[in-house]
Amino acid sequence: MTVAARIATSAALLILLLVAALSYHLAVVHRLAASNRAISTHQVRLVVLTLEQLAMIDHIEESARKLAATGDPGYGEQLTNRIMTFESALRRLSSFDVADSERAAIHRLGGEWRRFLAQLPAPGDLLSGTAPAERARRLGGGLARLGDLRSAAQELVAAANQELSHQGERAESARRGSERWVLAVFAVALLSGSVAVALAIRAIQRPLRRLIEATGRIAEQSYDFELETHGEDEFARLSAAFNEMAKRLAELDEVKRNLLSHVSHELQTPLASIQESHLLLLDGLAGPLTAEQRHLLELDVASCERLGRLISNLLERSRLDAGSLSYEIAEHDLGAVARATVNEVAARAEEAGLLLVSDLPREPLLVPCDRERIGQVLRNLLDNAVKYSSAGGRIEVSLRMAPAPPAGMPEHSRAAIENNGAFVLLEVADEGPGVPAAERERIFERFYRAQRGSGGPSGVGLGLAICRDLVEAHGGAIWASANSPVGSRFQVLLPAGVPERRPAPAGALAAGEQP
Ligand SMILES: Nc1ncnc2c1ncn2[C@@H]1O[C@H](COP(=O)(O)OP(=O)(O)OP(=O)(O)O)[C@@H](O)[C@H]1O
Ligand SMILES: [Mg+2]
């Protein structure tokens, strides 16, 4: 199932359940409205009409009594009209669509009415031709039925009231039932919707996390992974494309490394011979030189040296990348290594108008290391110090024992060291432009050069990356900080104990050998 289909299914399920809950709720509201309508039309009209009938019974009694007392035909006519009104209202009551209890009460009222009419003398028998006493006697039987008629009407009012409250109760219980149902349906919708959404998110999250990890590994130029490509969804297709891209990148990287290593290697020999020829010319082997010719040749020799250092950095990088670099670890006096390297760079520093001072211990400082590689690290740092400082600046090299990593050491460098007791700390500080804090870590990445406008000293950005690889191979750490008051300070911390000797990969070359 594709990711889009999974999301669509969970959304559809949620929508379906919500529509069901809404429809049910609408049906209940409709039922409640109908029941309210019934209450307001039938029941209320029934109660009002019955109350009017009760009042009419009083009016009929009043007219009958006045007729019997006076024998006035006006009252006879009034009585006849009121009887007709009562009868027409009774017919209307019988036509109502009412509950069984109310129907029975209406029926009883009709019966009592008929019995009352049967006992009531015709209005003509109560007119003035008859003696008042006789009229009162004739009326007596009818008036005696009025009590039952009244109680039948009151019974109907009571039945109507009861039905009214029953209907109210029924509406209330329907409302409560609907509320429960709607809440239950909403809860089920919410729960199943959440589960469906959580499943959809999980289905997206897992492959996404793997893709993020793989992207991070590609950023670190490590291609030895293969993403899972099971299934038919978009992620499976993306993972397959990603694997293909990683494979291509690995091939390209390999091609680039080989090319770099071959070109650098091929450049080394002609460069050495050019340098040799220039030195012979400078020695006067081909005849005396004018001052100008000598100056030009000296510039060429300096350029050749720079090019030589660049080529050896490129070769070193290729060997480190290929893992074909082995280390000759032995106890070496680090003070002597530093002294030799400082001497190598001294002439160049002087030419650049820089003051190179060193603070190295007199007594031997024996540290297990590959002296060539550690010499190379210090050479790269000093090269940078000379290259990036301006004339008149001071470069200071120092070496000392350190019982523990220094306080200002960055956390990630602390994690890189293999602590086995004491350390030695090698430092190169200069008064150059310094490295902005945001870039102090990035300058150790390959081919990264700090941004400082156009121009400036040339380089490819490999020196420090090589330094970090070499130092970490010794179980140490290297980092940059600010020098006070200006410039930068590069610090190299090496374990002073005997580190484990790193096994060289198969076919590895000894340090200094050519590939
Ligand atoms: N002493 C220093 N003072 C100021 N900036 C420095 C110093 N050392 C290094 N940097 C900055 O760090 C960057 C990386 O240095 P790195 O030695 O790796 O490369 P590079 O000197 O540019 O080239 P190369 O590969 O020839 O050494 C440099 O481009 C520079 O911007
Ligand atoms: Mg450099």
Side-chain angles (χ1 to χ4, degrees):
M1 204 188 221
T2 63
V3 175
R6 268 182 237 171
I7 293 174
T9 311
S10 47
L13 183 73
L14 194 65
I15 290 170
L16 208 73
L17 285 166
L18 289 177
V19 166
L22 192 70
S23 315
Y24 178 75
H25 192 64
L26 285 178
V28 170
V29 169
H30 186 74
R31 236 178 35 227
L32 285 176
S35 143
N36 277 344
R37 225 177 11 254
I39 291 173
S40 58
T41 53
H42 285 80
Q43 289 309 122
V44 174
R45 270 169 58 200
L46 182 71
V47 172
V48 170
L49 205 58
T50 314
L51 288 173
E52 280 172 8
Q53 291 294 72
L54 261 173
M56 190 53 72
I57 292 171
D58 291 343
H59 296 323
I60 288 172
E61 185 181 4
E62 183 197 341
S63 301
R65 283 191 191 282
K66 281 183 179 166
L67 178 60
T70 60
D72 183 349
Y75 288 123
E77 202 175 319
Q78 189 184 51
L79 178 63
T80 309
N81 286 341
R82 286 178 172 173
I83 286 171
M84 278 165 62
T85 307
F86 190 97
E87 268 184 346
S88 113
L90 194 59
R91 272 197 303 279
R92 265 199 291 148
L93 276 177
S94 307
S95 72
F96 276 14
D97 181 15
V98 288
D100 290 346
S101 59
E102 292 166 323
R103 184 159 306 289
I106 292 171
H107 191 71
R108 193 188 151 207
L109 182 66
E112 289 301 333
W113 176 249
R114 277 191 298 280
R115 274 189 284 284
F116 164 69
L117 285 185
Q119 296 290 320
L120 190 72
D125 295 343
L126 299 172
L127 293 180
S128 51
T130 319
E134 179 56 20
R135 287 203 298 268
R137 192 193 60 76
R138 285 181 188 170
L139 188 62
L143 291 180
R145 301 296 324 160
L146 277 179
D148 287 344
L149 188 62
R150 267 197 197 89
S151 74
Q154 275 157 357
E155 201 176 287
L156 178 55
V157 171
N161 274 334
Q162 202 173 23
E163 184 55 25
L164 202 64
S165 74
H166 277 167
Q167 282 193 5
E169 275 165 23
R170 277 202 294 276
E172 175 61 17
S173 102
R175 184 192 65 76
R176 266 190 261 116
S178 142
E179 239 171 44
R180 270 199 301 276
W181 267 102
V182 169
L183 281 179
V185 172
F186 266 107
V188 169
L190 216 65
L191 200 75
S192 44
S194 311
V195 169
V197 169
L199 286 176
I201 289 176
R202 213 168 90 99
I204 294 170
Q205 237 175 3
R206 268 215 314 248
L208 205 59
R209 208 175 298 133
R210 282 201 294 267
L211 276 165
I212 291 171
E213 268 167 32
T215 313
R217 303 213 22 204
I218 290 213
E220 288 163 6
Q221 295 183 352
S222 145
Y223 309 104
D224 56 339
F225 63 83
E226 176 126 16
L227 291 173
E228 278 177 32
T229 53
H230 304 315
E232 290 289 308
D233 64 13
E234 294 89 333
F235 281 112
R237 293 206 293 277
L238 184 60
S239 299
F242 205 90
N243 285 342
E244 187 57 32
M245 181 188 76
K247 201 172 118 204
R248 294 268 167 85
L249 281 173
E251 284 167 6
L252 268 176
D253 211 45
E254 179 72 21
V255 170
K256 184 193 80 188
R257 244 187 278 138
N258 287 341
L259 186 77
L260 217 61
S261 129
H262 281 114
V263 171
S264 317
H265 189 232
E266 291 308 311
L267 280 175
Q268 246 183 355
T269 321
L271 186 69
S273 102
I274 293 169
Q275 203 169 358
E276 193 57 33
S277 318
H278 279 55
L279 288 172
L280 289 175
L281 287 174
L282 278 172
D283 285 349
L285 207 75
L289 298 170
T290 63
E292 203 172 334
Q293 285 169 335
R294 177 168 292 280
H295 180 63
L296 287 173
L297 280 174
E298 277 168 355
L299 285 178
D300 279 357
V301 170
S303 299
C304 283
E305 275 173 7
R306 259 208 322 277
L307 201 55
R309 279 197 299 279
L310 172 69
I311 290 172
S312 60
N313 268 351
L314 286 171
L315 276 173
E316 197 75 5
R317 186 69 259 167
S318 310
R319 287 191 205 129
L320 280 166
D321 284 345
S324 62
L325 195 72
S326 65
Y327 295 85
E328 297 286 306
I329 304 286
E331 290 250 308
H332 292 292
D333 174 11
L334 216 55
V337 176
R339 214 164 282 121
T341 316
V342 168
N343 287 340
E344 274 178 47
V345 183
R348 249 181 307 132
E350 198 182 329
E351 268 170 44
L354 296 161
L355 177 65
L356 177 58
V357 293
S358 49
D359 175 15
L360 305 172
R362 285 177 192 285
E363 61 284 358
L365 190 58
L366 293 175
V367 170
C369 64
D370 181 325
R371 61 168 294 153
E372 276 303 314
R373 303 292 165 210
I374 296 300
Q376 193 181 350
V377 169
L378 183 54
R379 203 174 303 118
N380 277 347
L381 294 180
L382 285 171
D383 274 349
N384 281 348
V386 171
K387 189 158 73 167
Y388 295 108
S389 299
S390 313
R394 173 190 162 98
I395 299 171
E396 195 177 320
V397 182
S398 70
L399 177 70
R400 62 187 154 87
M401 284 296 291
M409 181 179 187
E411 244 353 275
H412 55 85
S413 300
R414 198 177 291 273
I417 54 168
E418 292 169 17
N419 191 352
N420 51 1
F423 298 90
V424 284
L425 184 65
L426 178 64
E427 291 185 307
V428 176
D430 62 49
E431 294 177 343
V435 182
E439 290 185 294
R440 282 191 200 135
E441 200 34 44
R442 296 214 63 191
I443 54 172
F444 290 95
E445 289 171 15
R446 314 167 198 187
F447 302 111
Y448 185 84
R449 309 199 68 224
Q451 309 295 318
R452 49 172 77 94
S454 53
S458 62
V460 284
L462 273 180
L464 291 178
I466 293 173
C467 287
R468 178 160 273 181
D469 280 352
L470 297 179
V471 170
E472 286 183 354
H474 281 78
I478 178 170
W479 67 97
S481 51
N483 191 23
S484 173
V486 282
S488 42
R489 174 177 294 268
F490 285 84
Q491 286 163 293
V492 178
L493 191 76
L494 291 171
V498 182
E500 239 176 73
R501 193 184 162 144
R502 268 141 221 282
L509 301 169
E513 269 183 70
Q514 296 299 318

